[in-house]
Structure formats: structure tokens, C-alpha cells
Amino acid sequence: MSETVDYVVVGAGSAGCVLANRLSENGKYSVCLLEAGPADKNIWIHIPIGYGKTMFNPKLNWGFYTDPDPHMLNRRIYWPRGKTLGGCSSINGLIYVRGQKQDYDHWGELGNRGWSWEECLPYFRKLESNDLGPGPTRGTQGPLHATSIKTRHELVEAFIASAVNNGVPRVSDFNSGDQEGAGYYQLTTHRGKRCSTAVAYLNPARSRANLRIETQAQATRILMEGKRATGIEYKKGGQLRRILARREVVLSAGALQSPQLLQLSGIGPSSLLREFGIPVVQDMPGVGENLQDHLQLRLIYEVSKPITNNDQLRSIWGKAKMGLQWALFRGGPLAIGINQGAIFCRALPDESPTPDIQFHFGTLSADLAGGQVHDFSGCTYSVCQLRPESRGYVRIKSTDPFEAPSMQPNYLSTDLDQRTAIASVRFARRIADTEPMKSLMKREFRPGNDVRTDDEILHFCREYGATIFHPTGTAKMGVSSDPYAVVDERLRVHGIEGLRIVDASIMPTLVSGNTNVPIVMVAERASEFMLEDAQKQTVQTIRTQPSRLAA
């Protein structure tokens, strides 16, 4: 049995929730939104600091692991991905960052017309409600809240001051297009609760008669008729079902699972498809290639004063106080999250005209992001290279849609990435060794004082480096003459009718910062493309139909 709607959207994540709202907004079109995970009812989704509780929750998190990475001592690295309404926006670190002006100008220079900073800026403004107030680059009426951290923390203040003493200017807005500076992040929170795309976009649209939301519904393949996508096969409640699309199928399953679905459906590298006996619908060598991610390097310090979240979380009274602050006032540490302090700067100033590294400074410490805190007062300097050269891939391992694909990031596989990693660790140490931070740092717990040479630092990066949760690029946007481009500038899959991809996989190059807000912008743009195309199709149909008078 098959049902038919105008649009089928696969994945209710950062992009899918936006599409569901915008495509159903005018009431003209019916939309079905498929999400493999459950509804976003878990309380820890909505408490900002709660992503420590969802980081390893298999009900809300795909919990992927990469293949052994030959450049990372053959380690398999944990890659959490959201599996609930809101997707990664429901379990991420809430950081509100757009990236640099040059990121988007570069997309345009690659031949993607309409994707320069100035052309993307209206959509960034459209999506946001920014508590910094109106400005030439800010919006104040959008669904997604950008909330400033009002509470000042002694450690974060010292971190920012030490950055200033190393020549980094203090700033309050990292989203004007010029990021260089140090300050507090803005967060995707509102009144002390997480503002995911499910909250911002999906909740206001839930009651629409033309929007159907299916949770616990995992897509298994794209239904094709020749070179046209006609719907989605999915599994729910142990049964295979089909939903057909009159107008378009949209993949918003993310940079790991959108290429997996394409490959399972016969769209991808022909050699890979033939290996698994999948009939080739469209030979596209770029599907699953061009994988990029930000590698975080976490320096951990013991703090000389009991002013960290470690201290609060290790005592019953500390936990109770935090809980009461949030329950009664939607305030305190639970309302802020872990990473408060930001630096965007240049680790290789002679080679980088714009910031090339980013810091997430956290007032707690643990062996793993989201893990059990240490038994000492601790803080974490997490630093990542903004525009890595290393490229990996995503490839199916079988025809089973429920088997995770092969994910190979190839971190630190280029000379530039290795040199930037070493320089970023040295810069973090410089911040820690500069007053006023220096007086608060009791000792360097990791990597430790015995790690000093470039080779030793690089080994530390390979041994402890981890994702900062930004895989992108595996179905990149590009001109048709680029053999590795998967979608065009309007995010339509090359050579296939009725199929678009709208998620992080379309980014030709990784943006300089956290990817959630850029993905929301991409989805806002994509929904406009789709509605424009639908209107053109309607006009064309009217024009080609025989006149009733003539009849």
C-alpha cells in the first residue's frame, strides 16, 4: 500500500524540521516528514547542559564509529548523530555560529551561484531572533533563538582576558562575517531551554492538516522510475511501507546517511554499487566522497580554585543547587551548557588571512566529551582547525540499510593539518600560561608537561583527537562539469529528477565553525527554491493545458 503527498522529507534534523515548516506553511502542499528516531520528549534534550546525558543514549543517538583511521593510530572514533526530532540540533552543544564571510564567498567562487556571503545573509537574518538586537547582519524575528550568555564566570573571564593579552580582540558578536576575536558564545537556547529546530520550526507547524510527521520510521531506499525519484521506502513497526511524492523527495538525513541512501538506491560510484549487486541508476563518483570534519584537540587543566562544574557535579548539594536553579528560574549552569568561552584566531598567521582555529572553552573536564567528570577541579581547552584539507569518505558495507556505512575521516592526513594541529596546541598552552589564566592553572593534566616537541604533540593529537561533530561534504554542491559534484546550486541531484539533498552533505567545503546554524540557513534557502519551482511548474501546467473555452 502506498500513500502520496507532494513532498517527502527524509530526516527530521536541523534541515528537515525547517523544510517541514516552510513547505507546509502556505497550505498548498502536503508534506510527510520521516524520522528514524522517537519524538523529542526526553527531558535531557531540553535542558541545555543535558547533552552529556544524550551523548551515548542509543535511543536518541546513532552512536556511529568510524573505521580505524590510519592517521590516528588506527583508532575508531565515536561519532554521535542525533536520532530524534530535531536531529543533531536536539543533542548538540548549542553553539550559535555562522562561519566566516569568506567561507560562503568561496562556495560562490567554485561556481555555485547565489551562495556568496551577501546572498546567504538575508537567510541568516530570516532564521534568527538575536538578543543582541537589530543590526545590518542580525535578525530579530526568526524562529531560532540566538541567546547571549549573561552570567560571567571567573574562569571564562580569565580565558578571554588571556586571549586579549595575546593580541586577540574581545568581541561580543561572532556572526557578523568577521569572526576574529575572543568572547562568550551565543547559544541556541530560549528562556533557559534548548531551542532545537524541532522546537523552533516543527512545533509551530505540528497542527497543520497538510503536514504528517512519522517517527520511528527509517528510510531504506529511494523509489525510482528511470531517472526520477518517486518516493521513499521505509520501515516502521517491523513493516516496510512506501510513501510517494508528487513533486519531490528530499534527503535531509545528514552527511553520513544521505549518501548511504543514495548508494543503496543505485546513485553513486558505479564500482561500489556493482560490488554489492546494486543496479546503477546514476554513476556519481562523488556520492560519499569529500568527507570533512573538525577534529577537536582537548587540553585539560587542573584548576587551582574549586570554581568548576566538576566541583558542582561531584557533590549531592552541588547537583541539587544546579537542579533547583534550573527548575525554579531556568537559570544556573544547566541553562548554559558546557562550552562558554570562544576564540577564533590564527595559529599560522603567516599562512592564514582569516582565523584558522576555534576554541571551545569549557568549565569542566572529562576524558570524553559528555563523559564522567574528573575528580579534580578542571577545565578544557578544546581547539579545532577550521578549514582542514584532509578528506575522507562514506561508503556502504552491504545492501542492508540498517548496517552503518563505512566512515573514514582520514584526519591529519595532510601536512597543513598536522602543522595547524601542533600550532593550535602551542597556542592553547600560551593562553594557559598567560595571566590572568596562569594563576588559575594548577597543572596541565593532558597532554602533560612531558609532551613538548612537535613530534610528541602530533602524537598526542593522533592519540586523543576526536570529532567535534561536524561531518560534511559527502554530496557536495557544484557545477555539472565537476565529476564529483552531486547537487547543483539549487540542491537538485545532477541527472535525477524530483530529488534534492538538503543537509550538511551539500557543503563543498567546511565552514569555519559549528555547522548547525549554516545548515538551517541552507534549509531556508532550499525551501524557497522548492516553492519557486513548484510555482513555475503550476504556471507551466496551466499554460500547456487546453483552454476550456477552446474545448
Side-chain angles (χ1 to χ4, degrees):
M1 295 293 292
S2 299
E3 298 178 58
T4 302
V5 294
D6 289 305
Y7 297 102
V8 178
V9 180
V10 179
S14 298
C17 290
V18 179
L19 294 170
N21 180 307
R22 296 305 191 195
L23 294 175
S24 64
E25 196 169 24
N26 62 18
K28 293 181 179 180
Y29 309 113
S30 54
V31 180
C32 180
L33 179 65
L34 299 176
E35 168 55 43
D40 56 333
K41 294 180 179 179
N42 188 298
I43 185 61
W44 291 111
I45 289 175
H46 302 286
I47 299 175
I49 207 172
Y51 67 91
K53 297 285 188 178
T54 61
M55 184 70 70
F56 302 99
N57 185 335
K59 293 181 180 179
L60 305 173
N61 196 320
W62 289 96
F64 293 129
Y65 279 88
T66 69
D67 293 353
D69 190 328
H71 310 283
M72 300 291 287
L73 308 181
N74 281 317
R75 292 167 52 218
R76 297 179 70 233
I77 296 172
Y78 182 62
W79 274 11
R81 296 279 88 196
K83 188 182 181 183
T84 182
L85 294 180
C88 289
S89 76
S90 287
I91 68 165
N92 68 6
L94 307 108
I95 305 297
Y96 194 98
V97 166
R98 293 173 176 175
Q100 294 172 16
K101 172 183 183 293
Q102 291 83 357
D103 299 331
Y104 302 96
D105 289 344
H106 180 57
W107 288 7
E109 290 162 4
L110 293 173
N112 299 298
R113 293 176 299 175
W115 289 93
S116 70
W117 169 258
E118 290 300 327
E119 290 163 308
C120 291
L121 184 57
Y123 300 90
F124 277 124
R125 297 186 67 196
K126 177 183 178 181
L127 69 87
E128 78 175 14
S129 183
N130 197 310
D131 70 355
L132 291 176
T137 60
R138 291 196 292 270
T140 57
Q141 302 298 317
L144 193 67
H145 284 266
T147 300
S148 304
I149 297 172
K150 302 296 195 299
T151 305
R152 294 298 180 247
H153 193 288
E154 182 179 352
L155 262 178
V156 182
E157 287 293 313
F159 173 74
I160 295 167
S162 294
V164 171
N165 290 337
N166 276 280
V168 182
R170 180 160 187 158
V171 299
S172 60
D173 184 0
F174 290 105
N175 293 303
S176 66
D178 178 9
Q179 290 178 313
E180 192 153 16
Y184 285 84
Y185 281 113
Q186 287 188 296
L187 306 176
T188 51
T189 60
H190 183 50
R191 297 176 180 172
K193 298 173 73 175
R194 177 187 292 274
C195 186
S196 67
T197 56
V199 170
Y201 284 89
L202 202 56
N203 285 355
R206 283 177 184 269
S207 61
R208 295 174 188 165
N210 60 328
L211 174 61
R212 172 179 157 194
I213 302 167
E214 289 277 4
T215 56
Q216 307 282 13
Q218 184 170 344
T220 55
R221 66 185 175 100
I222 306 163
L223 302 174
M224 303 292 301
E225 288 184 5
K227 298 277 188 175
R228 180 173 181 82
T230 59
I232 289 290
E233 179 184 82
Y234 66 100
K235 193 169 188 178
K236 178 169 181 168
Q239 292 183 330
L240 279 179
R241 305 181 184 186
R242 291 184 170 198
I243 183 82
L244 302 182
R246 273 185 291 267
R247 292 184 178 276
E248 295 189 45
V249 172
V250 190
L251 300 187
S252 296
L256 306 178
Q257 287 157 295
S258 281
Q260 179 188 22
L261 266 175
L262 289 169
Q263 292 169 4
L264 289 170
S265 307
I267 302 169
S270 58
S271 58
L272 176 69
L273 304 183
R274 291 192 180 106
E275 180 183 343
F276 295 105
I278 298 172
V280 179
V281 174
Q282 183 80 357
D283 179 16
M284 300 194 79
V287 172
E289 301 301 306
N290 193 47
L291 174 63
Q292 301 158 59
D293 187 28
H294 287 138
L295 177 71
Q296 69 165 322
L297 309 171
R298 301 170 68 249
L299 287 82
I300 296 171
Y301 282 77
E302 185 174 357
V303 179
S304 60
K305 297 169 68 175
I307 55 174
T308 72
N309 293 130
N310 289 20
D311 303 294
Q312 295 168 303
L313 291 169
R314 288 201 316 273
S315 76
I316 294 175
W317 165 240
K319 289 180 181 179
K321 183 180 178 182
M322 291 170 69
L324 285 171
Q325 283 177 307
W326 188 82
L328 297 177
F329 308 108
R330 293 292 185 263
L334 296 187
I336 296 173
I338 294 170
N339 295 308
Q340 301 180 41
I343 300 175
F344 290 87
C345 63
R346 289 173 284 174
L348 301 175
D350 295 335
E351 301 179 48
S352 303
T354 60
D356 55 11
I357 60 172
Q358 172 187 7
F359 281 87
H360 295 78
F361 179 75
T363 55
L364 59 65
S365 67
D367 287 334
L368 296 170
Q372 181 69 33
V373 298
H374 291 127
D375 61 0
F376 53 79
S377 303
C379 67
T380 304
Y381 301 67
S382 172
V383 59
C384 68
Q385 179 186 7
L386 287 170
R387 295 175 299 280
E389 287 185 339
S390 298
R391 296 292 185 269
Y393 57 79
V394 174
R395 297 170 187 164
I396 55 172
K397 294 188 288 191
S398 73
T399 58
D400 181 2
F402 302 99
E403 181 179 10
S406 168
M407 294 166 271
Q408 179 53 266
N410 285 324
Y411 292 123
L412 297 177
S413 59
T414 74
D415 175 70
L416 174 66
D417 293 3
Q418 293 166 19
R419 290 188 294 110
T420 305
I422 294 166
S424 67
V425 171
R426 293 196 182 281
F427 195 97
R429 282 174 158 172
R430 197 157 78 223
I431 296 293
D433 201 39
T434 300
E435 293 292 356
M437 204 63 173
K438 183 177 181 178
S439 296
L440 291 168
M441 299 294 97
K442 185 175 181 180
R443 68 179 175 111
E444 182 180 291
F445 174 75
R446 185 171 295 151
N449 289 329
D450 57 336
V451 176
R452 287 290 155 192
T453 68
D454 285 358
D455 286 345
E456 289 168 344
I457 292 173
L458 184 58
H459 183 84
F460 158 73
C461 296
R462 297 191 195 281
E463 185 175 10
Y464 289 101
T467 180
I468 205 160
F469 325 123
H470 301 156
T472 59
T474 50
K476 76 171 185 174
M477 174 171 54
V479 295
S480 57
S481 58
D482 179 349
Y484 281 86
V486 177
V487 299
D488 67 12
E489 62 205 23
R490 293 176 75 85
L491 310 187
R492 299 169 296 201
V493 175
H494 287 299
I496 301 292
E497 293 182 40
L499 182 61
R500 283 187 218 237
I501 304 175
V502 184
D503 57 29
S505 62
I506 66 92
M507 294 182 178
T509 51
L510 192 49
V511 295
S512 302
N514 309 74
T515 51
N516 178 242
V517 175
I519 292 165
V520 176
M521 179 276 294
V522 167
E524 285 277 14
R525 297 213 65 190
S527 63
E528 192 168 288
F529 295 154
M530 295 170 70
L531 292 171
E532 288 172 354
D533 289 353
Q535 181 63 27
K536 288 177 185 176
Q537 289 169 2
T538 300
V539 171
Q540 186 177 11
T541 300
I542 292 172
R543 286 176 178 171
T544 56
Q545 284 178 341
S547 166
R548 290 185 178 180
L549 290 175

